[in-house]
mmCIF file of all heavy atoms in Angstrom:
data_model
loop_
_atom_site.group_PDB
_atom_site.id
_atom_site.type_symbol
_atom_site.label_atom_id
_atom_site.label_comp_id
_atom_site.label_asym_id
_atom_site.label_seq_id
_atom_site.Cartn_x
_atom_site.Cartn_y
_atom_site.Cartn_z
ATOM 1 N N ALA A 1 141.783 -15.611 -11.828
ATOM 2 C CA ALA A 1 142.773 -15.087 -12.762
ATOM 3 C C ALA A 1 142.297 -13.787 -13.410
ATOM 4 O O ALA A 1 143.081 -12.860 -13.614
ATOM 5 C CB ALA A 1 143.066 -16.131 -13.844
ATOM 6 N N ILE A 2 141.004 -13.714 -13.734
ATOM 7 C CA ILE A 2 140.460 -12.489 -14.323
ATOM 8 C C ILE A 2 140.652 -11.315 -13.376
ATOM 9 O O ILE A 2 141.052 -10.210 -13.786
ATOM 10 C CB ILE A 2 138.967 -12.678 -14.666
ATOM 11 C CG1 ILE A 2 138.829 -13.559 -15.907
ATOM 12 C CG2 ILE A 2 138.281 -11.336 -14.893
ATOM 13 C CD1 ILE A 2 137.400 -13.771 -16.343
ATOM 14 N N PHE A 3 140.393 -11.539 -12.113
ATOM 15 C CA PHE A 3 140.567 -10.470 -11.129
ATOM 16 C C PHE A 3 142.028 -10.029 -11.065
ATOM 17 O O PHE A 3 142.341 -8.835 -11.035
ATOM 18 C CB PHE A 3 140.090 -10.948 -9.755
ATOM 19 C CG PHE A 3 140.191 -9.910 -8.681
ATOM 20 C CD1 PHE A 3 139.225 -8.934 -8.528
ATOM 21 C CD2 PHE A 3 141.277 -9.900 -7.816
ATOM 22 C CE1 PHE A 3 139.324 -7.974 -7.546
ATOM 23 C CE2 PHE A 3 141.395 -8.943 -6.826
ATOM 24 C CZ PHE A 3 140.404 -7.975 -6.692
ATOM 25 N N GLY A 4 142.938 -11.003 -11.045
ATOM 26 C CA GLY A 4 144.358 -10.676 -10.968
ATOM 27 C C GLY A 4 144.865 -9.988 -12.227
ATOM 28 O O GLY A 4 145.641 -9.024 -12.154
ATOM 29 N N TYR A 5 144.428 -10.474 -13.397
ATOM 30 C CA TYR A 5 144.850 -9.858 -14.648
ATOM 31 C C TYR A 5 144.297 -8.440 -14.788
ATOM 32 O O TYR A 5 144.983 -7.549 -15.296
ATOM 33 C CB TYR A 5 144.396 -10.712 -15.831
ATOM 34 C CG TYR A 5 145.130 -12.027 -15.955
ATOM 35 C CD1 TYR A 5 144.520 -13.154 -16.508
ATOM 36 C CD2 TYR A 5 146.447 -12.148 -15.535
ATOM 37 C CE1 TYR A 5 145.179 -14.356 -16.630
ATOM 38 C CE2 TYR A 5 147.124 -13.354 -15.653
ATOM 39 C CZ TYR A 5 146.489 -14.454 -16.202
ATOM 40 O OH TYR A 5 147.158 -15.649 -16.321
ATOM 41 N N ASP A 6 143.060 -8.244 -14.371
ATOM 42 C CA ASP A 6 142.489 -6.886 -14.416
ATOM 43 C C ASP A 6 143.296 -5.920 -13.561
ATOM 44 O O ASP A 6 143.558 -4.781 -13.970
ATOM 45 C CB ASP A 6 141.031 -6.907 -13.932
ATOM 46 C CG ASP A 6 140.087 -7.496 -14.969
ATOM 47 O OD1 ASP A 6 140.485 -7.593 -16.147
ATOM 48 O OD2 ASP A 6 138.951 -7.864 -14.612
ATOM 49 N N GLU A 7 143.664 -6.371 -12.379
ATOM 50 C CA GLU A 7 144.480 -5.523 -11.516
ATOM 51 C C GLU A 7 145.846 -5.249 -12.148
ATOM 52 O O GLU A 7 146.373 -4.145 -12.064
ATOM 53 C CB GLU A 7 144.653 -6.192 -10.160
ATOM 54 C CG GLU A 7 145.437 -5.359 -9.155
ATOM 55 C CD GLU A 7 145.667 -6.084 -7.843
ATOM 56 O OE1 GLU A 7 145.444 -7.317 -7.796
ATOM 57 O OE2 GLU A 7 146.068 -5.421 -6.870
ATOM 58 N N GLY A 8 146.398 -6.272 -12.808
ATOM 59 C CA GLY A 8 147.712 -6.105 -13.413
ATOM 60 C C GLY A 8 147.704 -5.180 -14.617
ATOM 61 O O GLY A 8 148.614 -4.360 -14.780
ATOM 62 N N ILE A 9 146.677 -5.270 -15.462
ATOM 63 C CA ILE A 9 146.653 -4.438 -16.663
ATOM 64 C C ILE A 9 146.405 -2.985 -16.314
ATOM 65 O O ILE A 9 146.778 -2.081 -17.057
ATOM 66 C CB ILE A 9 145.569 -4.955 -17.633
ATOM 67 C CG1 ILE A 9 145.856 -4.470 -19.066
ATOM 68 C CG2 ILE A 9 144.193 -4.550 -17.187
ATOM 69 C CD1 ILE A 9 147.103 -4.999 -19.675
ATOM 70 N N LEU A 10 145.779 -2.725 -15.164
ATOM 71 C CA LEU A 10 145.535 -1.358 -14.723
ATOM 72 C C LEU A 10 146.681 -0.810 -13.880
ATOM 73 O O LEU A 10 146.669 0.375 -13.549
ATOM 74 C CB LEU A 10 144.232 -1.283 -13.917
ATOM 75 C CG LEU A 10 142.947 -1.583 -14.688
ATOM 76 C CD1 LEU A 10 141.756 -1.609 -13.746
ATOM 77 C CD2 LEU A 10 142.735 -0.568 -15.799
ATOM 78 N N SER A 11 147.641 -1.659 -13.538
ATOM 79 C CA SER A 11 148.757 -1.240 -12.698
ATOM 80 C C SER A 11 150.049 -1.293 -13.510
ATOM 81 O O SER A 11 150.023 -1.325 -14.738
ATOM 82 C CB SER A 11 148.840 -2.123 -11.451
ATOM 83 O OG SER A 11 147.608 -2.121 -10.742
ATOM 84 N N ASP A 12 151.161 -1.347 -12.819
ATOM 85 C CA ASP A 12 152.438 -1.386 -13.514
ATOM 86 C C ASP A 12 152.821 -2.827 -13.835
ATOM 87 O O ASP A 12 152.083 -3.772 -13.547
ATOM 88 C CB ASP A 12 153.523 -0.705 -12.673
ATOM 89 C CG ASP A 12 153.635 -1.317 -11.276
ATOM 90 O OD1 ASP A 12 153.069 -2.411 -11.059
ATOM 91 O OD2 ASP A 12 154.282 -0.708 -10.412
ATOM 92 N N ASP A 13 153.993 -2.991 -14.429
ATOM 93 C CA ASP A 13 154.434 -4.320 -14.865
ATOM 94 C C ASP A 13 154.717 -5.253 -13.692
ATOM 95 O O ASP A 13 154.646 -6.483 -13.846
ATOM 96 C CB ASP A 13 155.690 -4.190 -15.724
ATOM 97 C CG ASP A 13 155.398 -3.556 -17.074
ATOM 98 O OD1 ASP A 13 154.206 -3.453 -17.418
ATOM 99 O OD2 ASP A 13 156.360 -3.163 -17.772
ATOM 100 N N HIS A 14 155.040 -4.711 -12.520
ATOM 101 C CA HIS A 14 155.289 -5.577 -11.367
ATOM 102 C C HIS A 14 154.014 -6.323 -10.969
ATOM 103 O O HIS A 14 154.046 -7.535 -10.694
ATOM 104 C CB HIS A 14 155.804 -4.747 -10.189
ATOM 105 C CG HIS A 14 157.097 -4.056 -10.455
ATOM 106 N ND1 HIS A 14 157.174 -2.821 -11.065
ATOM 107 C CD2 HIS A 14 158.381 -4.437 -10.210
ATOM 108 C CE1 HIS A 14 158.445 -2.468 -11.175
ATOM 109 N NE2 HIS A 14 159.199 -3.420 -10.659
ATOM 110 N N VAL A 15 152.897 -5.620 -10.958
ATOM 111 C CA VAL A 15 151.627 -6.251 -10.572
ATOM 112 C C VAL A 15 151.185 -7.249 -11.638
ATOM 113 O O VAL A 15 150.697 -8.344 -11.326
ATOM 114 C CB VAL A 15 150.543 -5.177 -10.344
ATOM 115 C CG1 VAL A 15 149.221 -5.818 -9.916
ATOM 116 C CG2 VAL A 15 151.005 -4.179 -9.285
ATOM 117 N N LEU A 16 151.352 -6.893 -12.905
ATOM 118 C CA LEU A 16 150.986 -7.819 -13.982
ATOM 119 C C LEU A 16 151.866 -9.061 -13.960
ATOM 120 O O LEU A 16 151.385 -10.186 -14.168
ATOM 121 C CB LEU A 16 151.097 -7.108 -15.328
ATOM 122 C CG LEU A 16 150.744 -7.932 -16.563
ATOM 123 C CD1 LEU A 16 149.320 -8.467 -16.468
ATOM 124 C CD2 LEU A 16 150.918 -7.104 -17.830
ATOM 125 N N ALA A 17 153.152 -8.887 -13.697
ATOM 126 C CA ALA A 17 154.053 -10.039 -13.610
ATOM 127 C C ALA A 17 153.666 -10.954 -12.452
ATOM 128 O O ALA A 17 153.723 -12.184 -12.567
ATOM 129 C CB ALA A 17 155.496 -9.557 -13.447
ATOM 130 N N ALA A 18 153.250 -10.367 -11.337
ATOM 131 C CA ALA A 18 152.821 -11.181 -10.200
ATOM 132 C C ALA A 18 151.562 -11.968 -10.545
ATOM 133 O O ALA A 18 151.432 -13.142 -10.158
ATOM 134 C CB ALA A 18 152.570 -10.273 -8.987
ATOM 135 N N ALA A 19 150.637 -11.347 -11.282
ATOM 136 C CA ALA A 19 149.415 -12.055 -11.680
ATOM 137 C C ALA A 19 149.733 -13.206 -12.631
ATOM 138 O O ALA A 19 149.159 -14.295 -12.515
ATOM 139 C CB ALA A 19 148.438 -11.076 -12.329
ATOM 140 N N LEU A 20 150.648 -12.995 -13.558
ATOM 141 C CA LEU A 20 151.045 -14.069 -14.472
ATOM 142 C C LEU A 20 151.772 -15.180 -13.723
ATOM 143 O O LEU A 20 151.594 -16.365 -14.032
ATOM 144 C CB LEU A 20 151.936 -13.501 -15.577
ATOM 145 C CG LEU A 20 151.251 -12.568 -16.587
ATOM 146 C CD1 LEU A 20 152.291 -11.847 -17.428
ATOM 147 C CD2 LEU A 20 150.296 -13.355 -17.468
ATOM 148 N N TRP A 21 152.582 -14.813 -12.751
ATOM 149 C CA TRP A 21 153.310 -15.818 -11.975
ATOM 150 C C TRP A 21 152.339 -16.685 -11.167
ATOM 151 O O TRP A 21 152.524 -17.907 -11.074
ATOM 152 C CB TRP A 21 154.291 -15.113 -11.043
ATOM 153 C CG TRP A 21 155.067 -16.029 -10.162
ATOM 154 C CD1 TRP A 21 156.086 -16.858 -10.526
ATOM 155 C CD2 TRP A 21 154.881 -16.221 -8.752
ATOM 156 N NE1 TRP A 21 156.561 -17.549 -9.435
ATOM 157 C CE2 TRP A 21 155.832 -17.179 -8.321
ATOM 158 C CE3 TRP A 21 154.017 -15.673 -7.814
ATOM 159 C CZ2 TRP A 21 155.931 -17.596 -7.003
ATOM 160 C CZ3 TRP A 21 154.116 -16.088 -6.498
ATOM 161 C CH2 TRP A 21 155.064 -17.035 -6.101
ATOM 162 N N ARG A 22 151.308 -16.088 -10.623
ATOM 163 C CA ARG A 22 150.344 -16.855 -9.826
ATOM 164 C C ARG A 22 149.435 -17.720 -10.690
ATOM 165 O O ARG A 22 149.165 -18.885 -10.345
ATOM 166 C CB ARG A 22 149.477 -15.910 -8.987
ATOM 167 C CG ARG A 22 150.196 -15.200 -7.871
ATOM 168 C CD ARG A 22 149.193 -14.538 -6.929
ATOM 169 N NE ARG A 22 148.233 -13.714 -7.661
ATOM 170 C CZ ARG A 22 148.399 -12.419 -7.905
ATOM 171 N NH1 ARG A 22 149.502 -11.812 -7.481
ATOM 172 N NH2 ARG A 22 147.486 -11.724 -8.563
ATOM 173 N N ASN A 23 148.945 -17.162 -11.794
ATOM 174 C CA ASN A 23 147.880 -17.826 -12.545
ATOM 175 C C ASN A 23 148.390 -18.649 -13.724
ATOM 176 O O ASN A 23 147.950 -19.786 -13.916
ATOM 177 C CB ASN A 23 146.881 -16.776 -13.051
ATOM 178 C CG ASN A 23 146.224 -16.012 -11.915
ATOM 179 O OD1 ASN A 23 145.411 -16.543 -11.175
ATOM 180 N ND2 ASN A 23 146.571 -14.735 -11.776
ATOM 181 N N LEU A 24 149.291 -18.088 -14.522
ATOM 182 C CA LEU A 24 149.763 -18.820 -15.696
ATOM 183 C C LEU A 24 150.834 -19.836 -15.336
ATOM 184 O O LEU A 24 150.816 -20.975 -15.834
ATOM 185 C CB LEU A 24 150.292 -17.836 -16.736
ATOM 186 C CG LEU A 24 150.723 -18.447 -18.068
ATOM 187 C CD1 LEU A 24 149.516 -19.040 -18.786
ATOM 188 C CD2 LEU A 24 151.395 -17.401 -18.956
ATOM 189 N N PHE A 25 151.763 -19.460 -14.455
ATOM 190 C CA PHE A 25 152.858 -20.359 -14.088
ATOM 191 C C PHE A 25 152.569 -21.182 -12.833
ATOM 192 O O PHE A 25 153.402 -22.009 -12.444
ATOM 193 C CB PHE A 25 154.143 -19.549 -13.870
ATOM 194 C CG PHE A 25 154.705 -18.956 -15.128
ATOM 195 C CD1 PHE A 25 154.438 -17.640 -15.468
ATOM 196 C CD2 PHE A 25 155.494 -19.708 -15.983
ATOM 197 C CE1 PHE A 25 154.959 -17.081 -16.616
ATOM 198 C CE2 PHE A 25 156.025 -19.157 -17.138
ATOM 199 C CZ PHE A 25 155.745 -17.830 -17.461
ATOM 200 N N ASN A 26 151.444 -20.926 -12.195
ATOM 201 C CA ASN A 26 151.100 -21.653 -10.956
ATOM 202 C C ASN A 26 152.205 -21.535 -9.901
ATOM 203 O O ASN A 26 152.525 -22.493 -9.187
ATOM 204 C CB ASN A 26 150.829 -23.136 -11.247
ATOM 205 C CG ASN A 26 149.469 -23.337 -11.880
ATOM 206 O OD1 ASN A 26 148.516 -22.626 -11.572
ATOM 207 N ND2 ASN A 26 149.379 -24.302 -12.783
ATOM 208 N N LYS A 27 152.843 -20.376 -9.840
ATOM 209 C CA LYS A 27 153.895 -20.079 -8.863
ATOM 210 C C LYS A 27 155.127 -20.953 -9.041
ATOM 211 O O LYS A 27 155.880 -21.181 -8.098
ATOM 212 C CB LYS A 27 153.364 -20.216 -7.429
ATOM 213 C CG LYS A 27 152.156 -19.340 -7.128
ATOM 214 C CD LYS A 27 151.678 -19.532 -5.699
ATOM 215 C CE LYS A 27 150.459 -18.697 -5.405
ATOM 216 N NZ LYS A 27 149.969 -18.883 -4.011
ATOM 217 N N HIS A 28 155.333 -21.471 -10.266
ATOM 218 C CA HIS A 28 156.491 -22.325 -10.533
ATOM 219 C C HIS A 28 157.317 -21.722 -11.661
ATOM 220 O O HIS A 28 157.548 -22.356 -12.697
ATOM 221 C CB HIS A 28 156.048 -23.741 -10.905
ATOM 222 C CG HIS A 28 155.317 -24.447 -9.808
ATOM 223 N ND1 HIS A 28 155.908 -24.813 -8.618
ATOM 224 C CD2 HIS A 28 154.021 -24.845 -9.711
ATOM 225 C CE1 HIS A 28 155.017 -25.410 -7.841
ATOM 226 N NE2 HIS A 28 153.858 -25.439 -8.476
ATOM 227 N N CYS A 29 157.771 -20.516 -11.471
ATOM 228 C CA CYS A 29 158.629 -19.862 -12.465
ATOM 229 C C CYS A 29 159.795 -19.211 -11.738
ATOM 230 O O CYS A 29 159.599 -18.310 -10.921
ATOM 231 C CB CYS A 29 157.833 -18.817 -13.266
ATOM 232 S SG CYS A 29 158.835 -17.913 -14.454
ATOM 233 N N GLU A 30 160.991 -19.689 -12.021
ATOM 234 C CA GLU A 30 162.192 -19.164 -11.373
ATOM 235 C C GLU A 30 163.038 -18.312 -12.312
ATOM 236 O O GLU A 30 164.063 -17.785 -11.892
ATOM 237 C CB GLU A 30 163.035 -20.321 -10.829
ATOM 238 C CG GLU A 30 162.310 -21.158 -9.780
ATOM 239 C CD GLU A 30 163.155 -22.297 -9.269
ATOM 240 O OE1 GLU A 30 164.291 -22.449 -9.793
ATOM 241 O OE2 GLU A 30 162.706 -23.024 -8.362
ATOM 242 N N ASP A 31 162.613 -18.210 -13.571
ATOM 243 C CA ASP A 31 163.364 -17.430 -14.548
ATOM 244 C C ASP A 31 162.635 -16.112 -14.796
ATOM 245 O O ASP A 31 161.542 -16.104 -15.369
ATOM 246 C CB ASP A 31 163.497 -18.207 -15.858
ATOM 247 C CG ASP A 31 164.462 -17.540 -16.830
ATOM 248 O OD1 ASP A 31 164.919 -16.415 -16.536
ATOM 249 O OD2 ASP A 31 164.768 -18.149 -17.876
ATOM 250 N N PRO A 32 163.177 -14.985 -14.376
ATOM 251 C CA PRO A 32 162.489 -13.702 -14.582
ATOM 252 C C PRO A 32 162.347 -13.333 -16.052
ATOM 253 O O PRO A 32 161.483 -12.537 -16.402
ATOM 254 C CB PRO A 32 163.377 -12.698 -13.828
ATOM 255 C CG PRO A 32 164.708 -13.342 -13.744
ATOM 256 C CD PRO A 32 164.459 -14.812 -13.658
ATOM 257 N N ARG A 33 163.168 -13.921 -16.911
ATOM 258 C CA ARG A 33 163.055 -13.611 -18.338
ATOM 259 C C ARG A 33 161.744 -14.139 -18.912
ATOM 260 O O ARG A 33 161.194 -13.544 -19.849
ATOM 261 C CB ARG A 33 164.250 -14.202 -19.096
ATOM 262 C CG ARG A 33 165.582 -13.527 -18.764
ATOM 263 C CD ARG A 33 166.737 -14.247 -19.411
ATOM 264 N NE ARG A 33 166.870 -15.606 -18.902
ATOM 265 C CZ ARG A 33 167.826 -16.461 -19.291
ATOM 266 N NH1 ARG A 33 168.736 -16.069 -20.184
ATOM 267 N NH2 ARG A 33 167.890 -17.673 -18.784
ATOM 268 N N GLN A 34 161.250 -15.226 -18.378
ATOM 269 C CA GLN A 34 159.959 -15.740 -18.836
ATOM 270 C C GLN A 34 158.828 -14.793 -18.452
ATOM 271 O O GLN A 34 157.915 -14.530 -19.251
ATOM 272 C CB GLN A 34 159.721 -17.128 -18.246
ATOM 273 C CG GLN A 34 160.724 -18.167 -18.688
ATOM 274 C CD GLN A 34 160.502 -19.514 -18.022
ATOM 275 O OE1 GLN A 34 159.566 -19.696 -17.251
ATOM 276 N NE2 GLN A 34 161.381 -20.467 -18.312
ATOM 277 N N LEU A 35 158.879 -14.271 -17.235
ATOM 278 C CA LEU A 35 157.866 -13.295 -16.814
ATOM 279 C C LEU A 35 157.959 -12.028 -17.653
ATOM 280 O O LEU A 35 156.929 -11.457 -18.046
ATOM 281 C CB LEU A 35 158.035 -12.961 -15.333
ATOM 282 C CG LEU A 35 157.583 -14.021 -14.335
ATOM 283 C CD1 LEU A 35 157.939 -13.594 -12.924
ATOM 284 C CD2 LEU A 35 156.086 -14.273 -14.459
ATOM 285 N N GLU A 36 159.175 -11.591 -17.929
ATOM 286 C CA GLU A 36 159.348 -10.396 -18.754
ATOM 287 C C GLU A 36 158.762 -10.611 -20.149
ATOM 288 O O GLU A 36 158.103 -9.727 -20.712
ATOM 289 C CB GLU A 36 160.833 -10.050 -18.857
ATOM 290 C CG GLU A 36 161.115 -8.810 -19.691
ATOM 291 C CD GLU A 36 162.603 -8.564 -19.851
ATOM 292 O OE1 GLU A 36 163.394 -9.419 -19.422
ATOM 293 O OE2 GLU A 36 162.960 -7.516 -20.419
ATOM 294 N N LEU A 37 158.970 -11.799 -20.699
ATOM 295 C CA LEU A 37 158.442 -12.111 -22.023
ATOM 296 C C LEU A 37 156.919 -12.090 -22.032
ATOM 297 O O LEU A 37 156.293 -11.545 -22.958
ATOM 298 C CB LEU A 37 158.959 -13.486 -22.469
ATOM 299 C CG LEU A 37 158.467 -13.998 -23.822
ATOM 300 C CD1 LEU A 37 158.961 -13.084 -24.939
ATOM 301 C CD2 LEU A 37 158.931 -15.435 -24.043
ATOM 302 N N LEU A 38 156.314 -12.647 -20.995
ATOM 303 C CA LEU A 38 154.848 -12.705 -20.941
ATOM 304 C C LEU A 38 154.239 -11.330 -20.677
ATOM 305 O O LEU A 38 153.182 -11.000 -21.214
ATOM 306 C CB LEU A 38 154.403 -13.698 -19.877
ATOM 307 C CG LEU A 38 154.102 -15.131 -20.347
ATOM 308 C CD1 LEU A 38 152.939 -15.127 -21.317
ATOM 309 C CD2 LEU A 38 155.323 -15.773 -20.993
ATOM 310 N N VAL A 39 154.885 -10.525 -19.843
ATOM 311 C CA VAL A 39 154.387 -9.163 -19.602
ATOM 312 C C VAL A 39 154.410 -8.361 -20.893
ATOM 313 O O VAL A 39 153.442 -7.664 -21.234
ATOM 314 C CB VAL A 39 155.215 -8.473 -18.504
ATOM 315 C CG1 VAL A 39 154.894 -6.982 -18.460
ATOM 316 C CG2 VAL A 39 154.932 -9.100 -17.157
ATOM 317 N N GLU A 40 155.509 -8.451 -21.630
ATOM 318 C CA GLU A 40 155.590 -7.753 -22.916
ATOM 319 C C GLU A 40 154.539 -8.283 -23.886
ATOM 320 O O GLU A 40 153.923 -7.513 -24.638
ATOM 321 C CB GLU A 40 156.989 -7.938 -23.501
ATOM 322 C CG GLU A 40 157.175 -7.268 -24.855
ATOM 323 C CD GLU A 40 158.537 -7.549 -25.454
ATOM 324 O OE1 GLU A 40 159.353 -8.227 -24.782
ATOM 325 O OE2 GLU A 40 158.787 -7.106 -26.593
ATOM 326 N N TYR A 41 154.296 -9.581 -23.858
ATOM 327 C CA TYR A 41 153.305 -10.191 -24.755
ATOM 328 C C TYR A 41 151.906 -9.659 -24.465
ATOM 329 O O TYR A 41 151.171 -9.286 -25.386
ATOM 330 C CB TYR A 41 153.351 -11.712 -24.587
ATOM 331 C CG TYR A 41 152.338 -12.458 -25.425
ATOM 332 C CD1 TYR A 41 152.556 -12.653 -26.784
ATOM 333 C CD2 TYR A 41 151.181 -12.970 -24.861
ATOM 334 C CE1 TYR A 41 151.634 -13.347 -27.557
ATOM 335 C CE2 TYR A 41 150.257 -13.653 -25.621
ATOM 336 C CZ TYR A 41 150.485 -13.839 -26.978
ATOM 337 O OH TYR A 41 149.563 -14.511 -27.741
ATOM 338 N N VAL A 42 151.530 -9.601 -23.195
ATOM 339 C CA VAL A 42 150.200 -9.115 -22.834
ATOM 340 C C VAL A 42 150.053 -7.643 -23.197
ATOM 341 O O VAL A 42 149.018 -7.226 -23.753
ATOM 342 C CB VAL A 42 149.937 -9.338 -21.333
ATOM 343 C CG1 VAL A 42 148.639 -8.655 -20.909
ATOM 344 C CG2 VAL A 42 149.869 -10.825 -21.020
ATOM 345 N N ARG A 43 151.049 -6.840 -22.919
ATOM 346 C CA ARG A 43 150.962 -5.413 -23.214
ATOM 347 C C ARG A 43 150.793 -5.160 -24.707
ATOM 348 O O ARG A 43 149.969 -4.345 -25.129
ATOM 349 C CB ARG A 43 152.212 -4.703 -22.706
ATOM 350 C CG ARG A 43 152.390 -4.707 -21.200
ATOM 351 C CD ARG A 43 151.359 -3.856 -20.495
ATOM 352 N NE ARG A 43 151.644 -3.748 -19.069
ATOM 353 C CZ ARG A 43 150.820 -3.218 -18.182
ATOM 354 N NH1 ARG A 43 149.656 -2.741 -18.572
ATOM 355 N NH2 ARG A 43 151.138 -3.162 -16.895
ATOM 356 N N LYS A 44 151.569 -5.845 -25.523
ATOM 357 C CA LYS A 44 151.483 -5.596 -26.961
ATOM 358 C C LYS A 44 150.185 -6.158 -27.541
ATOM 359 O O LYS A 44 149.626 -5.580 -28.481
ATOM 360 C CB LYS A 44 152.702 -6.188 -27.679
ATOM 361 C CG LYS A 44 152.714 -7.705 -27.785
ATOM 362 C CD LYS A 44 153.956 -8.196 -28.521
ATOM 363 C CE LYS A 44 153.991 -9.713 -28.628
ATOM 364 N NZ LYS A 44 155.229 -10.185 -29.290
ATOM 365 N N GLN A 45 149.680 -7.259 -26.991
ATOM 366 C CA GLN A 45 148.403 -7.780 -27.474
ATOM 367 C C GLN A 45 147.265 -6.821 -27.163
ATOM 368 O O GLN A 45 146.376 -6.596 -27.989
ATOM 369 C CB GLN A 45 148.122 -9.149 -26.858
ATOM 370 C CG GLN A 45 149.052 -10.259 -27.288
ATOM 371 C CD GLN A 45 148.882 -10.657 -28.762
ATOM 372 O OE1 GLN A 45 148.137 -10.049 -29.506
ATOM 373 N NE2 GLN A 45 149.598 -11.681 -29.172
ATOM 374 N N MET A 46 147.270 -6.252 -25.955
ATOM 375 C CA MET A 46 146.226 -5.301 -25.593
ATOM 376 C C MET A 46 146.320 -4.053 -26.463
ATOM 377 O O MET A 46 145.289 -3.489 -26.876
ATOM 378 C CB MET A 46 146.340 -4.926 -24.112
ATOM 379 C CG MET A 46 146.103 -6.090 -23.173
ATOM 380 S SD MET A 46 144.515 -6.913 -23.433
ATOM 381 C CE MET A 46 143.370 -5.566 -23.210
ATOM 382 N N GLN A 47 147.520 -3.606 -26.754
ATOM 383 C CA GLN A 47 147.692 -2.464 -27.641
ATOM 384 C C GLN A 47 147.173 -2.791 -29.035
ATOM 385 O O GLN A 47 146.528 -1.960 -29.691
ATOM 386 C CB GLN A 47 149.165 -2.068 -27.703
ATOM 387 C CG GLN A 47 149.458 -0.896 -28.627
ATOM 388 C CD GLN A 47 150.945 -0.626 -28.774
ATOM 389 O OE1 GLN A 47 151.760 -1.392 -28.290
ATOM 390 N NE2 GLN A 47 151.283 0.445 -29.453
ATOM 391 N N TYR A 48 147.433 -4.005 -29.485
ATOM 392 C CA TYR A 48 146.987 -4.421 -30.818
ATOM 393 C C TYR A 48 145.463 -4.526 -30.872
ATOM 394 O O TYR A 48 144.827 -4.082 -31.837
ATOM 395 C CB TYR A 48 147.639 -5.764 -31.165
ATOM 396 C CG TYR A 48 147.251 -6.303 -32.512
ATOM 397 C CD1 TYR A 48 147.793 -5.761 -33.681
ATOM 398 C CD2 TYR A 48 146.352 -7.354 -32.624
ATOM 399 C CE1 TYR A 48 147.441 -6.258 -34.925
ATOM 400 C CE2 TYR A 48 145.994 -7.859 -33.863
ATOM 401 C CZ TYR A 48 146.537 -7.307 -35.009
ATOM 402 O OH TYR A 48 146.184 -7.804 -36.244
#
């Protein structure tokens, strides 16, 4: 997960969303709004 998250934070939101889908949701997320929420959460936390 660290490897995937590192790649995602250095790339665009598509790569970060894919890392969250694989690691946090265990590939069981069918609602894109949940991924959007988590991508925004990670970005704002890193900014903070």
Side-chain angles (χ1 to χ4, degrees):
I2 286 182
F3 182 81
Y5 290 150
D6 285 343
E7 183 184 13
I9 201 65
L10 294 174
S11 305
D12 56 14
D13 290 347
H14 298 86
V15 181
L16 180 58
L20 291 168
W21 178 73
R22 291 192 309 268
N23 299 289
L24 185 65
F25 291 97
N26 284 326
K27 303 180 182 179
H28 297 294
C29 177
E30 299 179 357
D31 189 353
R33 292 173 297 181
Q34 297 177 2
L35 286 175
E36 180 184 7
L37 178 64
L38 265 297
V39 168
E40 179 184 357
Y41 178 78
V42 172
R43 295 291 187 189
K44 73 180 180 183
Q45 293 292 5
M46 296 304 303
Q47 179 186 7
Y48 180 76

